[in-house]
Amino acid sequence: MTAQENLTYQRPSEKLARLVDAPATPSVILSPDQQYLAILSRNSYLDIEDLARPELRLAGLRIDPANNGPTRLRYNKDLSFMRISDRKIIPVSGLPEQARIISFRWSPDGSRAAFLIAGDTRTEIWIADTEEFLARRISGKAVNSVFYGAFEWFPDSKSILFRAVPSGRGPAPKPSPIPKGPVIQDNTSGKRAAVRTYQDMLSSPEDEQMFAYYAQSIIVKKDLNGGETVLGKKGIYTGTEISPDGKYILVEETTRPFSYIVPYYRFPMSVAIWNLKGEVVRQIAKLPLAENIPRGFDATRKGPRSFTWRSDKPAILYWVEATDGGDPSVETETREQIWYLEAPFTGDPVKDISLELRFGGITWGNDGLAVVSERWRKSRRSKVSFFEPGKGDGLKKVVFDYSYEDRYNMPGNFVTRTNEHGHQVLLTDKKGSKLYMTSAGDSPEGTRPWIGTYDLKTGKTKELWRSSAPFYEVPVNFINAEKGIALIRRESVNIQPNYFTVILRTGKLNQLTDFPHPYPDFSGITKKIVHYKRKDGVDLTFELFLPEGYKESDGPLPTFLWAYPREFKSASAAGQVRGSPYSFIRISPMSAVPMVLEGYAVLNNASFPIVGEGDEEPNNTFIPQLVANAEAAIDKAVEMGVTDPARVAVGGHSYGAFMTANLLAHSRLFAAGIARSGAYNRTLTPFGFQNEARTYWEAPEIYYQMSPFMHADEVKTPLLMIHGMADNNSGTFPIQSDRFYDALKGHGAIVRLVKLPLESHGYQARESVLHVLWEEMRWLDQYVKNK
């Protein structure tokens, strides 16, 4: 027997294989005028050929050098428009064969939509209208889409701004096989640069040249009647945003020097306002390289950031700046200062409101009303306030002040609409006295989303509609707020999600879409949310899935427990119910649920809270809490008669894989484990990981105790490890699995390591997903079912 096994991609049972090939639920996007739904369909998974396309990994980006766009995209293949008034679905014609559609955007007036088509050798911008339902390419220039937001509609819906590949840029740089000298990183200044473990960073002057070549673009204004204007000169433009009046463009440009330890978004950046001739009207900021952001989850970059146009005015630019230097350890009454500058941008920036916590965003309204959110991770505190733009702190009013991990008491979100400029503003009633709200509606009986109003005078919330059993219904948007008609997505345990309009006053429904059940053969599976307690009294839940036709008289089953640990500052928040017992049974091939088709009971999304109340850090007792969570779940399933305690497997992805390895090292509760794309040695992530803010040097005992690698000699349970060979997630380098496998093998553990070519942190190719199911099914059958 050799240490290696050379296998081609394998295929699991036909039951599991049919799940992989089941159609994905189409995406549905409502037009701004509420007249049409865009329906975009796609395959559930890519083909391995898609992942095998050339790929450059530069500055935190993954670039397709052939079409100058991002790689690994889940693209759409078909586009149709549904007219809401009569539910008529009209396919859009004129698309290329096997079109790969990405980045769909309605025009502000809803008369047409723009999108990108990622081709083999170039990315192009196309539009489709709601009169002829015909798609056409609008420019001969290739789009540069390596950065998000490669195009945007002008407010008049007649023009589009996009970033294009510079004409005549010549061939890509070719790295010399002969080095010109050593690669040197220098910190002789002695400045601290405690950064987390990023992947795909630049690592040489050749990398810098390649990044600059593929990241550079020109900014183009395209009139749909045919005119086309190139604005300014080429540059590395990471963001462009048109002012609400359509007269100015906010331009963010990355500049040198580049860094080898942080991604592109922390490179030096220039922020300026341009006119439509491409001329700089006002330089707003020049931000230096941000390698030395202070440490901590509430830390941020020094200087101005989060630039945005005020949505309800022609051209007023807002931004925020940390008053504590971005350092959460600084004691201060305020953390942030909001600034603004109004067209023609000749005066000095003006102070607006200040914030006690870290800035979380602004939602603009009409008539001088805006909503600002702020939060502080260390205390899990969140605040929402009203303010009158331009009036400073005097008229600022706190509306909600709550713990964002306390889901039962979260207030919900204010609803927005698209205004005449194509920007989002608060949705109000005709009198402007009430705002509309939606909420996830978390409660002890499960998630029950609702729609309501907020009275601006009294501050009271009124519920207009709420999801009702036996359905799980989610608000999407309003069709007509004044008439009380909303668009919702509706599903039940065995009914595929579809879209309906609902009259809020009466609850009357009108079904719009009729997407079929993606796997009708498996509609007999049962699901319920099970409540139980940990030995210290913390409330827990898991989703229990049982095979079709299972009866209590059939006796206990082999069981697969799947979980992901989460940190909390209070036991009460940790015990809150998540999810709905009425949501559709999605048998995602990448979850644990498919194993119910192979005769297993599945304890899915089992609660694995790690609680640290007061000044206690959750990770100080990570291991004992982890084991207590597992014991409680198994005990409850055994008590119910569905689980054989001698035949239980545990599994998880990413931090769930880390959990799995720790449970096998520190308990004897399981017959086998499956760990996918995990990190196992925390000394390889020394400046923090997951929600651990302390460094290795501050808490070496925590890093040691929590690292399964350090306890490899204690793993006595068979472990299947799977990892994508191109994993780019922070901290989960493929070497994590390589080294843990070596350690386990060195101590004689039963272990198997499967490395998936071309796959990143989440697995995308159909061939890979089929093979993963084959590996998992074999492993569970050998070490659990037939133990």
Side-chain angles (χ1 to χ4, degrees), residues 526-752:
T526 60
K527 167 197 170 183
K528 63 179 175 179
I529 293 180
V530 176
H531 299 256
Y532 55 104
K533 288 183 181 291
R534 203 164 72 178
K535 60 185 178 183
D536 60 0
V538 174
D539 291 314
L540 305 175
T541 60
F542 57 67
E543 297 171 342
L544 175 63
F545 291 86
L546 294 171
E548 183 176 1
Y550 173 80
K551 303 182 295 297
E552 189 174 335
S553 59
D554 294 337
L557 298 170
T559 298
F560 191 18
L561 183 154
W562 189 267
Y564 189 96
R566 300 185 188 278
E567 295 83 356
F568 294 89
K569 290 303 292 178
S570 72
S572 59
Q576 292 182 351
V577 177
R578 285 159 175 76
S580 167
Y582 308 115
S583 60
F584 179 62
I585 298 180
R586 292 173 177 83
I587 313 181
S588 168
M590 284 288 90
S591 73
V593 180
M595 292 307 155
V596 75
L597 303 177
E598 297 295 325
Y600 290 81
V602 176
L603 315 184
N604 193 50
N605 292 329
S607 299
F608 265 65
I610 309 297
V611 183
E613 297 195 281
D615 294 332
E616 182 74 10
E617 290 294 333
N619 284 343
N620 290 353
T621 53
F622 180 83
I623 299 300
Q625 291 196 65
L626 209 62
V627 174
N629 291 326
E631 286 177 334
I634 294 172
D635 289 348
K636 181 61 178 179
V638 170
E639 175 193 314
M640 296 174 68
V642 299
T643 289
D644 177 354
R647 295 188 298 160
V648 182
V650 61
H653 190 96
S654 193
Y655 208 54
F658 174 72
M659 170 205 74
T660 297
N662 266 310
L663 283 170
L664 299 194
H666 298 287
S667 76
R668 298 293 176 261
L669 297 170
F670 299 99
I674 297 175
R676 297 194 322 228
S677 298
Y680 309 102
N681 182 352
R682 286 305 173 189
T683 67
L684 298 179
T685 56
F687 287 104
F689 59 89
Q690 199 70 5
N691 285 308
E692 177 55 66
R694 293 167 293 185
T695 70
Y696 168 76
W697 296 273
E698 292 173 315
E701 70 288 350
I702 297 297
Y703 280 69
Y704 179 88
Q705 186 60 28
M706 289 181 65
S707 294
F709 177 86
M710 308 303 180
H711 309 281
D713 58 329
E714 300 174 42
V715 176
K716 310 298 181 184
T717 305
L719 176 62
L720 170 63
M721 299 169 64
I722 302 173
H723 213 123
M725 295 172 70
D727 194 329
N728 68 336
N729 182 58
S730 179
T732 55
F733 300 97
I735 197 173
Q736 289 271 7
S737 287
D738 291 333
R739 294 295 175 260
F740 191 41
Y741 171 81
D742 291 342
L744 292 171
K745 183 180 177 182
H747 287 92
I750 298 173
V751 61
R752 179 179 175 90

Side-chain angles (χ1 to χ4, degrees), residues 380 402-410 572-573 576 578:
R380 310 303 200 267
Y402 60 98
S403 168
Y404 63 76
E405 70 175 18
D406 180 6
R407 299 171 66 93
Y408 291 176
N409 292 300
M410 290 184 71
S572 59
Q576 292 182 351
R578 285 159 175 76

Side-chain angles (χ1 to χ4, degrees), residues 252-264:
E252 296 183 355
E253 180 182 4
T254 290
T255 59
R256 293 180 183 271
F258 302 151
S259 171
Y260 290 7
I261 64 173
V262 294
Y264 76 90

Side-chain angles (χ1 to χ4, degrees), residues 479-490:
I479 298 295
N480 189 319
E482 285 302 313
K483 293 183 178 180
I485 302 174
L487 178 69
I488 65 168
R489 189 183 72 245
R490 190 177 201 240

